[in-house]
Amino acid sequence: MNQDNPPEMFCFYHPDRPTLLRCNRCNKPICTSCAIKTPTGYRCKDCVRSHQKVYDTAVWSDYLVGIIIAGVLAAIGSYIVTRIGFFTLLLAPAFGTLIAEAVRRAVHRRRSKQLFIWITVAAVVGSLPMLLVMIFNLSLFSIIWQGAYTFLMASTLYYRLSGIQIKRP
Ligand SMILES: [Zn+2]
Ligand SMILES: [Zn+2]
């Protein structure tokens, strides 16, 4: 064998496929269809899965509690918006932060990406009835404030929730 050629390896999951790739965490040989690209390099399925488990701590009741709290608070916020007009632009992000904080406490700071998406969707749904009322009333400015509220509140909420993941390694 030529010295420049590395010894032939076979994929851990597909013993019939020769490969030159290794998982950069556990070092086992993996073929291109098994390698998963992560921000820190190629990894095998097992390493990616065990890594995700650390971040997925949410239990099923967290979904229920999170969705209810986010939906109800977002609905209350949309009612306040009907009274404050322009100040919605200041209130909406603050409300998104408030909902994120309330939900985080309620689920004991457990987390998962799925949970954050569901909570954000619940907040959007909670804020929609008032937006629909304004659309039926054809009051243009109210539609704008309600729309701005839904967008700013939901994006702040999602950012706040998923920001937790980035800060804690
Ligand atoms: Zn691995
Ligand atoms: Zn493979």
Side-chain angles (χ1 to χ4, degrees), residues 115-154:
L115 176 65
F116 298 155
I117 292 170
W118 276 104
I119 288 169
T120 306
V121 169
V124 170
V125 170
S127 71
L128 284 186
M130 198 57 88
L131 180 61
L132 289 178
V133 168
M134 294 309 162
I135 290 172
F136 280 124
N137 288 348
L138 293 174
S139 77
L140 182 63
F141 276 104
S142 300
I143 293 170
I144 292 170
W145 301 137
Q146 286 298 333
Y149 166 72
T150 299
F151 178 76
L152 290 171
M153 177 273 296

Side-chain angles (χ1 to χ4, degrees), residues 10-17 19 29-35 45:
F10 292 91
C11 173
F12 180 81
Y13 304 96
H14 303 95
D16 57 320
R17 292 190 196 170
T19 180
I30 41 176
C31 72
T32 45
S33 63
C34 293
K45 297 179 233 176

Side-chain angles (χ1 to χ4, degrees), residues 23-73:
C23 169
N24 78 348
R25 188 158 173 269
C26 68
N27 226 17
K28 72 183 161 219
I30 41 176
C31 72
T32 45
S33 63
C34 293
I36 298 163
K37 197 168 163 48
T38 72
T40 51
Y42 287 102
R43 296 217 165 150
C44 72
K45 297 179 233 176
D46 292 332
C47 287
V48 169
R49 204 174 298 137
S50 67
H51 186 69
Q52 270 170 354
K53 249 179 230 158
V54 180
Y55 292 98
D56 283 4
T57 51
V59 296
W60 73 269
S61 58
D62 294 340
Y63 287 78
L64 196 68
V65 170
I67 284 169
I68 291 170
I69 291 176
V72 169
L73 287 180

